[in-house]
Amino acid sequence: MEASFFDSLLTWIAAHPVAAGLAIFFVAFIDGSLAVGLLMPSGPILVAVGALIGLGSVNGPYAIVCAALGAICGDGWSYLFGRYFGVRMKTMWPFSRHPEWIEGAERMFRRHDLKGIVIGRFFGATRPFIPAIAGMLRMPIKRFVPTMTTNGFVWAAVFIAPGWLLGASLELLLAVAGRLTLVLGILIAVVASIYFLVSRTYAWFAPHASGYLERSMAWSHRHPVLGRISGALIEPNRPESASLLMLAILLIFAGWAFFSVTLGVIGGGEPLVIDTRAFELLYGLRTPWADPLMLMLSAPGELVVLLPAATLVFGWLLWRRRTTAAWHWLAAIAFGLVLVEVLGRALEMPKPPAALAVPGFGFPAEPVALATVVYGFFAVLIARELPGRNRTWPYVVAGLLVALVGFARLYFGANWLSDVLAGVTLGLLWVAALGIAYRRRVERSFWVRPISALFFGAVISLSLWQGLRDQPAALARFEVPEVQQPVSEVAWLKSAWHSLPERRNDFSAGRDWRFNVQYAGSLASLQSALSAQGWQVETSSLLDALLKRFDGSAGADDLPLLPASHNGYREELAMSLRVHDGQNRLVLRLWSSPLVLDKSGAPIWQGSVADMRFDRRFGLVNIWRVESTAVAVVDQLSAALSAFDQKRVQRDDDVLPIVLIVDRR
């Protein structure tokens, strides 16, 4: 079903919490109904309904009862259908066209009996057919109904509970892991897409390779020029001919794609629309919690990883006297390096912001192109040594490694999408050309397992080493140079304060995180003044803060605040003050801004002060939730900083104040 259907359904459920019971009943009913249950993946919908429960949009017990009744009615209808028609059901459409549906469900039911009904409700594609099989085989109603009823309620609770817990703990997810979750989700989607594309393409092509080869040869022989080329390149009786044909197709496709991307970029003279859109999406998701992971993923494209690993392979091939393979391997890497370097110098293309201050980040994306050449040609080397279906995995691994490197480069804003696509297609072009030359000359010649363990072991260990060493310096390579905007103090206090963001740029920004503080001066001076008033600096690590969230013995006094990010950066200063009954804290967070006072050079910081309260959800998750950012909260911060000059302003559409603080001491 279309994603828009799910979005519309969930929006309607949130807007009509009572009538939503009918929608939940319908979803569960369809899920358990014979055959049509395959069309309604109710699991994701019920998890989303659970999230709405956690957010307070839908009553929890009411939703579970509606879902359970829907599942019971769906199973009951299917049971009655099977009981009425019996074995005649197998001759009806669509079961007559898909007998495997009924056969699989029947095997499960005959093997497990009542347990089959329980298993079928939760697992496998036989879910909508098991109740009908129970009816067809005349299971007594007095045995079926109790199992069906228990099943319905347990199933509803199991699928709704995770979303319920997620919704109830949404402050925790959005405050810290919102961007991280989305980044990981996109990354998983990319990996799954590459895996599916490479494995399915190979699986689809391999069984039909002989037929394609014969038709291609027959067609080419009717052409005076292509006939000579194909006759020299491919011999139908050679086992390698199918692989050569696949490499030839890849060569044509990669050449067309590379020159199309290159001409499009050269003709435009500026970043393409797709480049800027991809940059805004991925760079806009930068978060300090995902940066270390992305460093790891970008490492397999770095020369400090590729060259040592490639050298080990070259040495192993020479040691095993596979000189032809060794020289082709050397040619792949050496010419790949030269080709990328020459093109990078010859084609001066606009660079993304994160690459402006760093040489080597250009068109085509050098790390992506080199990764494509190295991992792609290594796949060509070892795949032909493997039997049958096992030939798929080297290409899948190569595709995944290249995709991860490309994704990391886009995430850091180091390359445009067109740079990455050009790097991939250029690498594929050279791999296909050299692969054809290699495959035509060499028969199967060496054992795959040792060289694969050597190569991938080196890549993994070197990538970990490269990703872990001196992370601050490595991340500094990908930082966008911040352009400071000098402003006079008078202009800032009068109107320039209005140019800074209204809310924190993160997932919970629309709910809680409004910026109500701007400060001009030294953070050390501000910290000293607040410390004298009893405020404490929050210094706990992300890991410690997360672990405490699930510690049942943790209370307000020892539960640290989670770090927060804005525009992909962690706050520069976080301080808190225990207030009220000890269950609340005033929390101040400040981030840097592009504004700086022109005369004194004092930086201007922006952030928020909020009243946060300790809460425990379901006895499982401890959180600090934002309770207020109102006038009283700003008053308390102003009182603590009475020695500083202050001015209150407010935006035209907002009744809550923003306090501007200047340190002139």
Side-chain angles (χ1 to χ4, degrees):
M1 288 194 174
E2 296 291 336
S4 58
F5 169 78
F6 296 123
D7 293 340
S8 301
L9 179 60
L10 294 175
T11 301
W12 184 85
I13 288 174
H16 305 85
V18 177
L22 294 176
I24 296 169
F25 175 91
F26 175 76
V27 167
F29 177 82
I30 293 297
D31 178 85
S33 295
L34 185 62
V36 293
L38 294 175
L39 304 177
M40 176 65 77
S42 61
I45 297 178
L46 292 183
V47 171
V49 168
L52 295 176
I53 295 171
L55 291 171
S57 299
V58 180
N59 180 270
Y62 172 67
I64 290 177
V65 169
C66 290
L69 291 177
I72 292 168
C73 291
D75 287 351
W77 179 86
S78 299
Y79 171 84
L80 293 175
F81 183 93
R83 190 176 182 88
Y84 180 80
F85 287 101
V87 293
R88 287 181 296 163
M89 182 175 66
K90 296 182 179 181
T91 63
M92 298 178 177
W93 184 90
F95 312 118
S96 58
R97 296 191 60 181
H98 298 279
E100 68 276 7
W101 292 352
I102 297 294
E103 292 169 0
E106 187 173 354
R107 282 195 303 270
M108 175 178 283
F109 182 78
R110 289 185 182 276
R111 183 181 306 166
H112 299 289
D113 194 48
L114 278 177
K115 289 189 294 184
I117 298 175
V118 177
I119 296 171
R121 163 49 67 183
F122 290 90
F123 305 103
T126 59
R127 182 187 70 256
F129 306 104
I130 291 285
I133 295 298
M136 184 184 76
L137 298 179
R138 300 289 176 176
M139 170 179 272
I141 292 178
K142 64 181 181 181
R143 293 186 65 206
F144 177 77
V145 170
T147 304
M148 174 187 67
T149 303
T150 304
N151 245 11
F153 279 95
V154 173
W155 172 82
V158 165
F159 276 88
I160 287 178
W164 193 342
L165 180 61
L166 174 66
S169 306
L170 203 58
E171 290 89 347
L172 172 65
L173 178 66
L174 295 181
V176 175
R179 291 188 177 201
L180 176 60
T181 302
L182 189 52
V183 168
L184 293 179
I186 296 174
L187 180 61
I188 291 170
V190 169
V191 168
S193 300
I194 295 297
Y195 174 82
F196 179 82
L197 177 65
V198 176
S199 61
R200 289 297 91 197
T201 299
Y202 193 93
W204 171 76
F205 183 85
H208 306 91
S210 299
Y212 296 143
L213 186 61
E214 292 175 3
R215 288 193 290 271
S216 300
M217 293 295 293
W219 174 80
S220 66
H221 286 164
R222 291 194 293 269
H223 194 283
V225 178
L226 291 179
R228 291 196 298 270
I229 296 175
S230 63
L233 180 65
I234 300 174
E235 299 176 17
N237 295 325
R238 289 188 61 187
E240 287 299 315
S241 293
S243 297
L244 288 171
L245 176 62
M246 197 167 187
L247 287 171
I249 294 172
L250 178 63
L251 178 67
I252 295 170
F253 168 77
W256 167 80
F258 173 71
F259 288 109
S260 296
V261 172
T262 304
L263 291 175
V265 172
I266 293 176
E270 58 184 16
L272 305 176
V273 174
I274 193 174
D275 289 334
T276 55
R277 294 286 174 82
F279 175 81
E280 290 168 0
L281 170 63
L282 290 176
Y283 191 77
L285 290 176
R286 277 201 66 175
T287 169
W289 325 131
D291 285 353
L293 172 63
M294 292 300 141
L295 276 180
M296 295 283 189
L297 298 184
S298 67
E302 301 287 342
L303 283 176
V304 294
V305 174
L306 292 174
L307 289 184
T311 302
L312 288 175
V313 171
F314 181 71
W316 190 91
L317 291 172
L318 289 180
W319 174 59
R320 300 299 297 173
R321 298 181 182 178
R322 304 298 189 263
T323 53
T324 303
W327 294 121
H328 277 80
W329 175 248
L330 182 62
I333 297 168
F335 188 75
L337 277 169
V338 172
L339 188 61
V340 171
E341 186 66 23
V342 169
L343 283 175
R345 292 181 180 276
L347 300 175
E348 285 294 330
M349 304 295 184
K351 295 181 180 181
L356 293 178
V358 184
F361 291 11
F363 180 95
E366 181 178 331
V368 178
L370 292 178
T372 305
V373 169
V374 173
Y375 300 125
F377 193 71
F378 187 77
V380 171
L381 279 180
I382 66 174
R384 60 95 48 79
E385 313 294 333
L386 297 169
R389 293 182 178 179
N390 290 337
R391 291 187 172 192
T392 307
W393 73 259
Y395 296 109
V396 171
V397 171
L400 292 178
L401 286 171
V402 172
L404 293 177
V405 172
F407 183 84
R409 303 289 296 184
L410 293 173
Y411 168 85
F412 282 122
N415 293 102
W416 299 120
L417 180 59
S418 57
D419 299 342
V420 172
L421 293 177
V424 171
T425 53
L426 177 63
L428 289 176
L429 182 63
W430 177 231
V431 166
L434 195 62
I436 290 173
Y438 174 72
R439 287 289 182 87
R440 292 193 71 246
R441 295 189 59 188
V442 181
E443 298 295 335
R444 298 173 70 173
S445 61
F446 56 82
W447 192 22
V448 168
R449 187 172 297 175
I451 193 173
S452 299
L454 184 70
F455 177 70
F456 288 117
V459 167
I460 292 172
S461 57
L462 288 169
S463 296
L464 291 174
W465 170 76
Q466 173 70 5
L468 291 173
R469 71 184 186 110
D470 198 10
Q471 286 192 353
L475 289 173
R477 297 171 56 222
F478 299 106
E479 287 189 7
V480 177
E482 187 174 62
V483 179
Q484 291 189 328
Q485 303 174 21
V487 62
S488 69
E489 182 179 320
V490 173
W492 169 55
L493 294 173
K494 182 178 180 180
S495 61
W497 63 268
H498 202 282
S499 65
L500 296 182
E502 180 179 358
R503 297 181 183 275
R504 183 165 73 92
N505 181 21
D506 215 330
F507 283 79
S508 58
R511 300 170 60 234
D512 303 321
W513 292 92
R514 54 184 306 276
F515 282 156
N516 53 11
V517 177
Q518 293 184 26
Y519 166 69
S522 164
L523 285 184
S525 177
L526 180 70
Q527 178 180 329
S528 175
L530 290 176
S531 296
Q533 301 290 324
W535 292 64
Q536 296 180 346
V537 178
E538 294 288 337
T539 58
S540 62
S541 67
L542 175 63
L543 179 60
D544 179 55
L546 286 175
L547 291 177
K548 286 286 188 180
R549 260 57 194 167
F550 302 96
D551 183 356
S553 62
D557 291 337
D558 52 3
L559 179 67
L561 291 170
L562 284 167
S565 65
H566 171 59
N567 284 335
Y569 296 96
R570 181 172 173 167
E571 68 268 11
E572 298 287 343
L573 177 66
M575 299 188 72
S576 66
L577 175 69
R578 287 175 173 79
V579 293
H580 306 320
D581 55 357
Q583 298 296 103
N584 287 55
R585 290 187 191 178
L586 287 182
V587 179
L588 172 67
R589 302 180 192 267
L590 292 176
W591 288 266
S592 63
S593 83
L595 299 183
V596 58
L597 296 184
D598 55 2
K599 291 184 178 180
S600 64
I604 296 177
W605 310 85
Q606 61 180 337
S608 66
V609 58
D611 185 0
M612 305 188 73
R613 184 169 180 81
F614 174 81
D615 196 4
R616 178 172 289 134
R617 300 292 174 85
F618 299 102
L620 298 175
V621 181
N622 306 314
I623 65 170
W624 285 105
R625 59 178 176 81
V626 176
E627 192 163 75
S628 174
T629 57
V631 178
V633 178
V634 176
D635 289 343
Q636 289 176 284
L637 177 66
S638 296
L641 297 175
S642 57
F644 293 71
D645 289 349
Q646 302 181 27
K647 178 183 178 181
R648 296 206 180 193
V649 295
Q650 64 185 53
R651 299 182 185 274
D652 296 337
D653 56 347
D654 195 352
V655 297
L656 298 178
I658 299 173
V659 59
L660 309 181
I661 305 171
V662 186
D663 182 13
R664 293 198 182 93
R665 300 181 303 165

